Amino acid sequence: MSASAVAAPPRATTSAPARPRRGAELMLLVVALAVGIGAYALVSIRVVDSLPADFWAQVTGFVAVAVVAHLVLRFRAPYADQVILPVTLGLNGIGLAMIYRLDLASQKGLKPHDLAGRQLEWTAIAVLAALAVVWFLRDHRALRRYTYIAMLVGLGLVMLPLIPHVGRTINGAHIWVAIGPLSLQPAELAKIAFAIFFAGYLVTHQETLAVAGPKVLGLQLPRLRDLGPILVVWAVSIVVLVAETDLGTSLLFFGLFVAMLYIATQRVSWVFIGLVLMGVGAGFAATAFPHVQVRFQIWLHAFDTDVFNGSPGSGQLVRGLYGLANGGLFGTGWGNGYPSLVSYAFSDFIYTSLGEELGLTGMLAILLLYLILVQRGLRTAIGVRDGFGKLLAAGLAFTMAWQLFVVVGGVTRLIPLTGLTMPFVAQGGSSLLANWLVVGLLLRISDSARRPSAAPERGSVAPGGIHVAPEQDAADPGAARATDEPTVVVTRPTPPPAPPGPSDARHTTDDPPDESARSTVKRPPAPGEEDPRA
């Protein structure tokens, strides 16, 4: 049988993965919208026995924002995580319903306001900003080129409230800037800039930070010249925030710094060092800064009469705790509680407001939604292929989880109050905008993490397979395989015919045998036997 008559081995083929239709995201969006809109309607019916006059207009706007976000992801980031957007919109809808419920309570008093309407406007702006990140940022790795620019932007945003006639003091905290009729908190946006800077710097110096440096008490410490720039940036931001009496954001930046350093070096010693520094810093702040002393006194002696009636006192914290107790296991129901008795129930203490009307069950459900959101962010960090994306996604996800812990721990008296607000739920345009930008970055990174790679994985066959053709077909690959798919043609040359001689050539010299010569001395195939050289 001739070599040309031998059939080529079956080729391995791999078809290109189908473009995701994002049906799961669409179904989850329907559920998320139903939860938010249903809560909004229940609040209005329970309190005023009717739907608000602009109910359908507001519902249409909220649904339109969700549909636009889904379409942008479908066409611009088709491989992005399909759970992040619905969970975020669900939390946003629950927050809008509670803020509207507090609006209705305020209308019965002397100072009616429309916080829910403004929150809906900020929601639309924040979602569009997140979609702009997804649309214009085609590759998250491009942010690595702006590592030090992000550092300067972060420091500038932190120091912006210190500029005369720009900064504004609200409730004792000098952390706001006035832009026309709006007041923004630039430190919320600074956390994104610092996350980009930390990720870009740490991925460049990852090896030296993890290996080089002295050992102190068994702990591997990095060299000062490697850790110096990032340490200076962190220290300056913390000092400025302490000067602005913003304890919560200082704690947030410190947690972000320690977490990203641990992720980059994989050294547990950094967690220990971070906890020690946090304890030392808290003790120093409690003795050196009067506003921090008040926070600690409210935390430790909340039920003392003098502390309760003080100014500022622990009345806000105690009333929030009583609201949680009034909610019990299943809550009083939408519109049946008294959350308006707590000052700033729509922002700092919105979690206790939700706990009173939804109960412990509703509180745990909300925490579960946050847990899912953080888990999807960490899963994105694990799945993305580049180190910068891993650090950035992990840092952003940790920031969200850390901020949630600080807020919930403060209103439940686990830790002192810090003034931070719950992401996506509490009223506030700055927080809503910053956290939606975080979601936009996570969606873009998750698209890169889940998108199939163009290069074949090790041990796999590239798309189109491999076609093994005999030598006479190598000149015309199209004749061997008539198809439009890409083909890799591997030509196997036919070895020269064996020279005539005995069937068993023996080596008779003292030289070592030539393996190539031995392999070419073969007996001719017997009649009817397949040629092994084919």
Side-chain angles (χ1 to χ4, degrees):
M1 184 178 297
S2 63
S4 61
V6 178
R11 60 185 179 88
T13 59
T14 56
S15 59
R19 187 183 182 90
R21 299 182 179 179
R22 305 192 69 81
E25 180 184 78
L26 185 60
M27 293 297 102
L28 291 175
L29 279 176
V30 172
V31 176
L33 292 173
V35 170
I37 296 172
Y40 187 68
L42 286 174
V43 165
S44 183
I45 293 173
R46 173 62 186 86
V47 177
V48 298
D49 295 328
S50 64
L51 295 176
D54 55 352
F55 174 78
W56 294 111
Q58 292 181 346
V59 167
T60 302
F62 193 54
V63 172
V65 168
V67 171
V68 170
H70 172 71
L71 292 177
V72 169
L73 292 180
R74 178 183 286 265
F75 294 104
R76 201 66 170 179
Y79 295 94
D81 192 285
Q82 300 193 47
V83 180
I84 293 179
L85 179 63
V87 170
T88 307
L89 278 175
L91 290 170
N92 210 154
I94 293 173
L96 282 169
M98 177 50 67
I99 294 171
Y100 177 65
R101 187 261 177 276
L102 294 167
D103 277 350
L104 294 179
S106 68
Q107 291 175 10
K108 297 180 180 180
L110 299 178
K111 295 181 179 180
H113 48 261
D114 184 25
L115 294 177
R118 282 185 285 173
Q119 185 76 353
L120 184 59
E121 295 173 358
W122 274 109
T123 298
I125 295 173
V127 173
L128 292 178
L131 296 180
V133 171
V134 175
W135 187 272
F136 293 106
L137 183 63
R138 299 303 301 271
D139 191 345
H140 65 275
R141 292 172 294 184
L143 295 175
R144 187 177 176 182
R145 299 197 297 264
Y146 306 101
T147 297
Y148 292 97
I149 295 179
M151 176 195 70
L152 297 177
V153 170
L155 291 176
L157 289 172
V158 168
M159 292 186 291
L160 194 60
L162 299 178
I163 300 177
H165 308 294
V166 176
R168 177 181 297 181
T169 302
I170 299 178
N171 298 325
H174 197 69
I175 58 176
W176 303 85
V177 295
I179 303 178
L182 301 177
S183 296
L184 296 177
Q185 191 173 345
E188 289 282 353
L189 300 173
K191 67 182 181 183
I192 302 177
F194 282 138
I196 295 173
F197 165 67
F198 288 161
Y201 185 86
L202 290 174
V203 76
T204 304
H205 301 82
Q206 185 173 5
E207 296 297 332
T208 55
L209 288 172
V211 178
K215 275 191 175 184
V216 178
L217 299 177
L219 301 178
Q220 183 74 44
L221 300 180
R223 295 177 299 185
L224 185 60
R225 64 182 181 184
D226 298 324
L227 189 61
I230 194 171
L231 193 60
V232 168
V233 171
W234 166 78
V236 170
S237 63
I238 295 297
V239 170
V240 171
L241 290 175
V242 169
E244 297 172 353
T245 66
D246 188 7
L247 178 64
T249 309
S250 303
L251 190 61
L252 183 66
F253 285 174
F254 181 79
L256 174 65
F257 167 73
V258 174
M260 296 193 68
L261 196 58
Y262 165 70
I263 295 171
T265 60
Q266 299 182 5
R267 297 284 185 181
V268 184
S269 57
W270 280 112
V271 179
F272 175 76
I273 294 173
L275 293 176
V276 171
L277 291 178
M278 185 180 299
V280 173
F284 172 76
T287 57
F289 303 106
H291 66 280
V292 179
Q293 293 177 7
V294 172
R295 294 287 179 90
F296 272 83
Q297 188 176 14
I298 291 174
W299 173 48
L300 296 175
H301 308 284
F303 292 94
D304 290 357
T305 303
D306 295 337
V307 177
F308 181 87
N309 296 323
S311 179
S314 61
Q316 181 188 33
L317 176 61
V318 173
R319 291 187 184 98
L321 294 175
Y322 274 105
L324 292 177
N326 185 41
L329 184 59
F330 298 106
T332 61
W334 285 108
N336 292 330
Y338 301 94
S340 57
L341 296 177
V342 182
S343 57
Y344 295 99
F346 51 83
S347 57
D348 296 8
F349 275 75
I350 195 169
Y351 191 64
T352 61
S353 303
L354 292 167
E356 182 177 1
E357 301 203 341
L358 301 182
L360 179 62
T361 305
M363 295 172 63
L364 294 178
I366 293 173
L367 290 181
L368 183 61
L369 290 177
Y370 279 109
L371 180 63
I372 293 173
L373 186 59
V374 173
Q375 184 269 339
R376 304 307 289 192
L378 294 177
R379 182 173 179 176
T380 297
I382 294 174
V384 74
R385 300 173 181 88
D386 63 290
F388 174 77
K390 288 180 181 295
L391 283 174
L392 181 58
L396 294 176
F398 175 82
T399 300
M400 202 176 303
W402 182 242
Q403 183 171 349
L404 179 66
F405 168 76
V406 171
V407 173
V408 175
V411 299
T412 57
R413 208 184 163 203
L414 181 64
I415 60 175
L417 289 170
T418 58
L420 291 178
T421 56
M422 288 189 71
F424 311 110
V425 175
Q427 189 272 337
S430 304
S431 175
L432 196 62
L433 177 61
N435 286 293
W436 268 105
L437 288 176
V438 170
V439 168
L441 288 173
L442 289 178
L443 288 171
R444 169 49 64 197
I445 299 174
S446 67
D447 178 71
S448 301
R450 298 161 64 92
R451 183 181 295 272
S453 176
E457 297 181 1
R458 183 177 181 181
S460 62
V461 180
I466 298 178
H467 175 53
V468 181
E471 186 180 24
Q472 56 267 32
D473 294 337
D476 186 13
R481 180 170 178 260
T483 180
D484 293 334
E485 297 181 2
T487 304
V488 180
V489 179
V490 180
T491 303
R492 180 183 296 171
T494 305
S503 58
D504 186 14
R506 299 187 179 275
H507 184 69
T508 57
T509 65
D510 295 335
D511 297 329
D514 188 356
E515 295 296 330
S516 60
R518 176 179 295 180
S519 62
T520 58
V521 181
K522 303 291 183 181
R523 63 175 178 81
E529 182 180 357
E530 183 175 334
D531 189 356
R533 296 170 297 178

